[in-house]
Amino acid sequence: MSKSIIAPGMRLHMALVLISAALIGFQLEQMQLLAMIQWHHFAYLVISVALLGFGASGTCIALFRPFLLRNLDWLLPVLLFVCALLMACALPFSKGMIETFDIFFVVVEPVQSISLLLSQAIYLLVFFFGALPIGLVFIAHSHRINSLYSANLVGSGLGGVGAVFFMGFLWPLDLPAVTAFLPWAAGCLVATEVRRILVCSTGLLSLVGIVVLLVQPQQTRFSEYKDIRRILDIPGAAIVAAQPDPQGQVHLVRAPTLRYAPGLSLTYTKEIPEVSGVVLINGDWFGVVNDAPPRFYQATTTALPYAISMRERVLLLQAGTGAEITLAQEKGATTITAVEPHQKAARLSWSGFGLNSPFTNQEHQQEYVFVQPRTWLARNQTKYDLITLPVVGRFGGGSGVMALQEQYLLTKEAITEMWHSLSVKGVLQISTWVDTPSRNTLRLAATIREVLEEQGVNPALHTVALRSWNLVTFIVKRSKLTSGEIEQVRVFCNDLQFDPILLPGLQTEERQRYHTIADPDFFSNLDMLSSPSLRQILYAGYAYDIQPTSDGRPFFSQFLRWQSLPDLTRLFGERSVSFLELGYLVVLVSFLQATVAAIVLILLPLLHVGRPGDRRLQGWAVLYFGALGLGYMFFEIMLIYKLTLFFGHPLYAAAAGISSLLIFSGVGSRLSSWVSSQGVGLAPIALVAGILLLLYSRILSPILSWAMVGSAVWKSIVFLLVITPPGIIMGMPFPLGLAQLAGQSKRQAAWAWGINGCSSVVSAGLATIVAVEFGFSVVLVMAGCAYVLAAVAALLKSQP
């Protein structure tokens, strides 16, 4: 143990790197765990809780600064040891609340909101005890803030990269305990002779706790609304294999009595075959492994493209287990390409059940391509006779649980790319589960119509849609439908008892010949989409948002319109609103909880910190550091969203966006002292950052779209080149402002740390809401404006 840590040496910088890496790694691990146990929406909740912990630590420093700094020699390692123990214990302590949390009752049962709040409180303690030593080091050594802040940011960036790496071969439930060794090691690095018994006993207790939790197997349950829970309720169902993966834990489930028959005709008289197994990712449906005979697939709505013409070149986008390959092979396809981004799940689909993959058939030219589907469309120049997409939505309705999941295969830009990838007689096939009231079907129909109109063709002459009892299948043909093809569609529907709902020359009585639709207004709404003027009336008056989505706002499953909530409440009952579009409402509830917590834990305590002589200083700090927190988080959240398409998965996007931004911000922090020595003030630096972000709101999307056609290495190089300028510039204003403020008042420096954290907490949730409502470009514009506001605040500070 060293005698003192007053001089910030190499060990102090290394400790900052370790604790910063642990906090970001823990953050990403919890994002994956919550997405696995519950739903996708909770990933962004973790970011808010982490920022709240940082903000609360700033408040604690501001309130108790003299005591904390006076005892820093022994308090610093103790805080790090406590953080390590809490990091290992967080999941065992909170998993009961997380597992029993019922997303479908969060609005109508207060106990669910309380459960959500308590689980957040446990994670809040982890980030609080991790951020507190970081803030204390910044305040105690404010004259070296540039190098210390740089170590903090670089460590955070490395933590993001390391977390994704270890997710490839460590189980999600074991990762927090492994990560806890990092803050424990940081505590050992800064331990001193001061209060040696207390420090050593705390460190030993922390180590024992981490080891015990690591060697003890952790068990958890999925939410009862996850697909895996419903499948395991089937008699005889059992998990036969599971493997960790950064894109989500893969489960192979054998369910001998399960039948899976989307779009199957009621005329099919043979026994519906049992599936050999089900593949799930994070407990959500990925696909089935099925040895069903060709006749089975020929009796589904998805066989329509083959009924009207030969399909030699077939492209299956987001192919999953490749179940549709059998139908393509039987119908004579000579070239079959299956594009699936989740490589591990696809490879395990058939081998995990001891079966031969359909790609072992040597009579066909076939390949599995493990890339993001949009990347393949941008890169590949082949023209296909058939392009198919997976079924849209969830059987029985999803109640909005996928509202915040980016679905880049269903945007107007994606459908346009598929249109251009079709051969002259090629067709695009998209199916959606029937939902009531209709949302997926109407939005999909609206998207197809708008895309075709933009291509200068009449959608009515190129589109077919037919309906079974549970599925609607759309067929979009590149050339006009011929009279012979129209007749073949009618024959196909009559033979298999499907109802055509879109077809040139369609008669009213044909639409419900075999299946009665539950939504009485469905056909009138569908017909309104055919007219541009009536379509706008439907968009404005429909209870749900059914307008097509874009790459700038790719939330296909987000249908909630706030102005419609009163009408929906009257229609379905007050206790039924929660079953309509839960995903977005959960984000709003968690955002409000985080905002209230930020006010209670950060703002209110800070009102007692300032002195009368510091009022002008406080006003500048609020505006400057609040704007920096807002701008930085808006850019970070927007970056995660944009990179989901670029890198193909939300976790990769979060890791790449957070890590790279923090690393380059760390470089900027390191360079900030040199910039300041050249006479450059706070205002010009913040202004340059704001202008750069405003520029990026126009050029970032085109650059990323252009780079998508390249390899993974090429995309990484382009991304690093793109993120470097804003990352470096955005890393300068905070340490420079904090150093200036600490030179005038260390109390106000701690106060500013808390203000920045509070602003970041609010902006993390607000950025998500703005992205859903208005799109990513608006979020980026707001980020740029926030930095411009910080520049204005810096100018006001310089005024006498």
Side-chain angles (χ1 to χ4, degrees), residues 24 85 95 109 116 127 147 166 173 249 264 291 312 329 389 402 430 499 567 594 598 601 615 642 656 712 720 722-723:
I24 292 297
L85 183 59
K95 70 175 184 177
E109 291 188 2
L116 180 63
F127 292 109
S147 62
F166 285 108
L173 298 176
Q249 189 170 355
L264 183 65
D291 281 336
E312 295 184 357
Q329 292 175 341
L389 274 68
M402 308 306 289
I430 314 175
D499 293 320
D567 294 333
L601 297 178
R615 294 303 180 188
K642 295 294 290 184
L720 291 176
V722 168
I723 199 63

Side-chain angles (χ1 to χ4, degrees), residues 614-655:
D614 294 326
R615 294 303 180 188
R616 188 178 66 84
L617 203 58
Q618 284 185 4
W620 167 75
V622 170
L623 192 60
Y624 182 80
F625 289 98
L628 290 184
L630 184 71
Y632 199 95
M633 284 310 304
F634 265 45
F635 182 71
E636 183 177 296
I637 295 297
M638 184 281 312
L639 199 61
I640 293 173
Y641 276 124
K642 295 294 290 184
L643 293 179
T644 298
L645 173 61
F646 192 68
F647 286 117
H649 192 272
L651 183 68
Y652 292 153

Side-chain angles (χ1 to χ4, degrees), residues 19 38 52 79 139 148 189 195 290 295 324-325 375 429 469 489 525 636 682 723 726 732 766:
I19 181 61
Q38 284 286 341
L52 183 60
L79 290 173
I139 301 301
L148 293 172
L189 281 174
R195 298 204 178 183
N290 198 343
R295 182 180 175 182
E324 294 186 10
I325 295 172
T375 300
Q429 173 192 286
W469 70 274
V489 171
N525 291 332
E636 183 177 296
L682 294 179
I723 199 63
M732 295 182 181
L766 184 60

Side-chain angles (χ1 to χ4, degrees), residues 538-545 558-565:
L538 179 62
Y539 289 164
Y542 200 59
Y544 299 93
D545 180 8
Q558 159 46 27
F559 302 103
L560 180 64
R561 299 179 64 190
W562 296 109
Q563 60 268 35
S564 299
L565 277 180

Side-chain angles (χ1 to χ4, degrees), residues 424-444:
V424 176
K425 295 184 179 181
V427 298
L428 168 65
Q429 173 192 286
I430 314 175
S431 297
T432 175
W433 294 107
V434 172
D435 54 355
T436 304
S438 182
R439 287 152 286 175
N440 286 301
T441 304
L442 292 180
R443 173 169 276 176
L444 193 55

Side-chain angles (χ1 to χ4, degrees), residues 176-399:
V178 173
T179 306
F181 282 108
L182 296 179
W184 187 86
C188 293
L189 281 174
V190 298
T192 70
E193 298 291 341
V194 179
R195 298 204 178 183
R196 183 174 182 177
I197 296 178
L198 174 62
V199 173
C200 289
S201 59
T202 306
L204 181 60
L205 177 64
S206 176
L207 180 61
V208 171
I210 294 171
V211 172
V212 169
L213 290 170
L214 186 60
V215 298
Q216 181 179 358
Q218 297 294 321
Q219 302 292 332
T220 190
R221 294 185 306 163
F222 290 92
S223 164
E224 61 182 299
Y225 299 106
K226 284 277 189 174
D227 295 325
I228 193 171
R229 285 287 298 274
R230 294 197 293 269
I231 294 172
L232 290 176
D233 286 338
I234 298 174
I239 297 175
V240 298
Q243 287 197 12
D245 190 80
Q247 298 184 59
Q249 189 170 355
V250 181
H251 287 90
L252 306 183
V253 178
R254 190 178 300 280
T257 59
L258 177 65
R259 267 80 170 174
Y260 181 69
L264 183 65
S265 169
L266 296 179
T267 65
Y268 186 77
T269 57
K270 300 292 184 180
E271 181 181 358
I272 299 177
E274 298 177 354
V275 301
S276 301
V278 182
V279 184
L280 304 107
I281 299 177
N282 278 343
D284 295 321
W285 186 273
F286 178 77
V288 297
V289 176
N290 198 343
D291 281 336
R295 182 180 175 182
F296 171 79
Y297 293 106
Q298 294 173 20
T300 64
T301 58
T302 56
L304 176 60
Y306 302 99
I308 62 177
S309 181
M310 182 70 173
R311 308 294 167 191
E312 295 184 357
R313 296 181 300 276
V314 176
L315 174 64
L316 310 176
L317 294 178
Q318 206 161 308
T321 57
E324 294 186 10
I325 295 172
T326 302
L327 178 61
Q329 292 175 341
E330 178 65 19
K331 290 298 183 178
T334 57
T335 302
I336 305 173
T337 302
V339 178
E340 172 52 51
H342 203 303
Q343 181 173 353
K344 182 173 290 187
R347 290 190 181 279
L348 286 174
S349 296
W350 296 83
S351 61
F353 295 103
L355 300 172
N356 292 325
S357 168
F359 275 94
T360 58
N361 190 327
Q362 301 300 319
E363 297 179 5
H364 306 266
Q365 182 181 345
Q366 304 167 125
E367 61 175 337
Y368 237 129
V369 183
F370 300 111
V371 298
Q372 210 273 344
R374 289 289 298 278
T375 300
W376 178 262
L377 289 172
R379 179 189 303 169
N380 189 61
Q381 301 300 316
T382 303
K383 300 298 182 182
Y384 296 96
D385 301 317
L386 172 62
I387 299 177
T388 71
L389 274 68
V391 179
V392 178
R394 302 171 69 89
F395 178 70
S399 298

